[in-house]
Amino acid sequence: RLFVIQFETPDGVKTLLGEPLDRLGSAKTPFFARLAGQLGGPQGKLTNLLWPPLGEVEGCLKRVGISPEQVDYITFDHLHTQDIRRWLGAPGVPAMFPHAKLLVTTKEWAIAREPVGIQADWYPPNGTTGVPDERILCFDQDLDLGGVALVRTPGHTDGNHSIVAHTPDGLLVTSENGVAADAYAPRKSKIPG
């Protein structure tokens, strides 16, 4: 599961991966680990029947002809369930994307680094531990990358953002956990306000 977005900049074409899923890293999220544990673990037969692997990031990139070295940025609308060490590297974990940087809101990065209370149930233990600081680009305002924007949409988490891509087919927006279809098409909504 991921979105591959390429966009033109004064420095040439840049490649952004949105929501690259590390399936086994995400399975360590305490909430999901408890669920999968009851079904034989993250690689158990029943778990794979209920939540079958639909593809891995490496295979998806290979199918579209993009090498890991070509990835400039990765981003997630929020960091629930995301273990980013595999992508960006950490002590003892080589980076799959040697040049990529994580684009994340300052608030979301702070939450993921030190989740508190019930939030801790949604972040993989040590999912950000040891990731080099120079691989993280935090932003506090909406971010226009040129044809792609990261728009702050706090709600699901305080640091949530949406990915907006300007394409020949119009604007495409993705963000997890919208509360209603009206949230995605507010001009067509019949809900006041």
Side-chain angles (χ1 to χ4, degrees):
R1 176 186 85 169
L2 78 151
F3 301 99
V4 178
I5 304 168
Q6 291 188 305
F7 54 97
E8 199 65 53
T9 73
D11 297 325
V13 173
K14 298 294 181 183
T15 300
L16 167 73
L17 299 186
E19 314 292 342
L21 176 66
D22 177 359
R23 190 171 55 85
L24 296 178
S26 291
K28 295 175 187 167
T29 301
F31 179 83
F32 292 123
R34 282 194 308 279
L35 285 178
Q38 298 170 13
L39 304 172
Q43 294 186 328
K45 287 182 182 180
L46 188 53
T47 303
N48 282 323
L49 180 65
L50 293 172
W51 300 292
L54 300 175
E56 300 293 336
V57 170
E58 302 92 318
C60 292
L61 290 177
K62 190 173 186 176
R63 279 198 310 270
V64 297
I66 295 174
S67 71
E69 294 77 20
Q70 289 175 280
V71 175
D72 299 291
Y73 305 105
I74 64 172
T75 194
F76 302 88
D77 54 10
H78 67 290
L79 292 174
H80 277 172
T81 77
Q82 304 304 330
D83 186 333
I84 63 170
R85 296 173 296 173
R86 180 174 174 208
W87 307 140
L88 301 177
V93 181
M96 176 176 288
F97 304 121
H99 308 297
K101 296 184 185 290
L102 174 69
L103 298 171
V104 62
T105 65
T106 303
K107 287 183 179 182
E108 189 65 23
W109 186 241
I111 294 166
R113 298 285 301 213
E114 296 183 28
V116 295
I118 197 165
Q119 283 288 350
D121 210 28
W122 292 101
Y123 293 92
N126 304 310
T128 61
T129 303
V131 174
D133 290 340
E134 62 270 12
R135 304 295 303 272
I136 310 302
L137 297 176
C138 292
F139 60 95
D140 295 312
Q141 303 296 319
D142 297 345
L143 187 60
D144 181 0
L145 301 170
V148 178
L150 304 181
V151 179
R152 294 173 304 114
T153 50
H156 181 66
T157 66
D158 199 28
N160 200 85
H161 73 270
S162 296
I163 305 166
V164 181
H166 187 261
T167 75
D169 296 326
L171 290 178
L172 301 177
V173 181
T174 182
S175 190
E176 187 181 358
N177 297 315
V179 294
D182 296 82
Y184 296 106
R187 291 187 179 131
K188 295 182 189 245
S189 174
K190 303 283 190 250
I191 299 172

